[in-house]
């Protein structure tokens, strides 16, 4: 069975807006922008690569492989295409108030094509996070959406959460045994 996907954003996640001065970020000028990157993030992502297939999910697209990956000690990663994405039949509807924050959702779902995935981003609509938590409550843990504080970026708590219970296919019992819930008796159980 293939590893779950881990969709990675750059700005606000790996390039925080205002990290603590002692957090160990180095400043780089990339494509005319000041970008803050941490070697510790690179180590954490390499650790996560033992459990997940890492995928860029950023508007940097291919530029993430050119400018970000080498500075973090990462190999070239696959890229989800957002720029020029044309909505397709079957894409989820996005409420008007979420047009900006949910613009990545349909391309991510298309890219995943049913595979379990986790998504690290600073701009995930709360509605999507709630819906994913509801799926988990219904014992379907195929998605994990983690909002990151854009000021501080990725932290060890996010990494530990991703490693503790990676998304998986199918239904899970509370004990973690892969088996669909029984459909007999009271449907509220």
């Amino acid at each position: 069975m293939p590893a779950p996907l881990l969709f990675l954003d750059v700005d606000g996640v790996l390039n925080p807006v205002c990290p603590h001065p002692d957090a160990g970020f180095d400043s780089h000028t990339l494509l005319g922008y000041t970008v803050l990157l941490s070697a510790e993030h690179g180590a954490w992502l390499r650790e996560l690569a033992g459990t997940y297939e890492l995928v860029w999910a950023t508007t940097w697209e291919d530029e993430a492989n050119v400018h970000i990956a080498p500075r973090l000690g990462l190999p070239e990663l696959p890229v989800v295409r957002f720029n020029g994405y044309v909505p397709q039949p079957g894409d989820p509807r996005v409420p008007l108030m979420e047009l900006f924050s949910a613009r990545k959702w349909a391309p991510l779902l298309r890219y995943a094509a049913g595979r379990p995935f986790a998504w690290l981003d600073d701009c995930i609509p709360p509605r999507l996070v709630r819906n994913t938590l509801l799926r988990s409550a219904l014992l379907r843990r195929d998605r994990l959406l983690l909002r990151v504080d854009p000021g501080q970026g990725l932290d060890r708590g996010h990494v530990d959460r991703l490693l503790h219970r990676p998304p998986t296919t199918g239904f899970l019992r509370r004990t973690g045994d892969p088996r669909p819930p029984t459909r007999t008796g009271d449907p509220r159980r």
Side-chain angles (χ1 to χ4, degrees):
M1 176 177 357
L5 300 166
L6 175 55
F7 294 123
L8 298 167
D9 186 27
V10 171
D11 295 321
V13 176
L14 302 177
N15 173 30
V17 177
C18 55
H20 190 276
D22 299 332
F25 285 87
D26 295 318
S27 180
H28 306 271
T29 302
L30 305 174
L31 302 174
Y33 298 97
T34 300
V35 177
L36 302 174
L37 298 173
S38 168
E40 191 169 39
H41 283 172
W44 292 344
L45 292 174
R46 289 188 299 279
E47 182 181 355
L48 287 165
T51 303
Y52 291 88
E53 178 183 330
L54 306 182
V55 178
W56 291 121
T58 172
T59 55
W60 283 72
E61 292 190 349
D62 292 311
E63 297 297 333
N65 280 320
V66 173
H67 300 285
I68 306 297
R71 287 172 173 82
L72 295 177
L74 298 175
E76 186 171 308
L77 302 176
V79 175
V80 176
R81 303 283 171 206
F82 299 116
N83 298 325
Y85 179 81
V86 177
Q88 300 176 31
D91 280 358
R93 288 185 175 178
V94 176
L96 184 60
M97 297 301 292
E98 293 179 359
L99 283 179
F100 175 75
S101 62
R103 74 189 184 289
K104 292 181 178 180
W105 190 234
L108 291 178
L109 291 174
R110 292 248 175 237
Y111 188 96
R115 277 178 69 182
F117 66 88
W119 180 22
L120 282 171
D121 205 309
D122 63 313
C123 195
I124 301 174
R127 175 187 58 85
L128 294 179
V129 174
R130 281 191 308 274
N131 289 350
T132 299
L133 292 173
L134 177 62
R135 287 173 72 93
S136 291
L138 296 172
L139 306 179
R140 186 169 172 97
R141 295 190 179 112
D142 59 343
R143 300 174 185 170
L144 173 59
L145 279 54
L146 294 178
R147 291 185 70 182
V148 176
D149 174 359
Q152 299 303 308
L154 181 67
D155 64 34
R156 186 63 208 190
H158 296 114
V159 175
D160 291 342
R161 174 61 184 95
L162 288 162
L163 292 172
H164 175 69
R165 188 180 292 162
T168 185
T169 57
F171 290 91
L172 296 178
R173 291 181 32 174
R174 294 237 183 252
T175 61
D177 297 334
R179 190 172 61 181
T182 30
R183 300 223 181 252
T184 59
D186 187 348
R188 292 173 289 177
R189 285 191 211 176

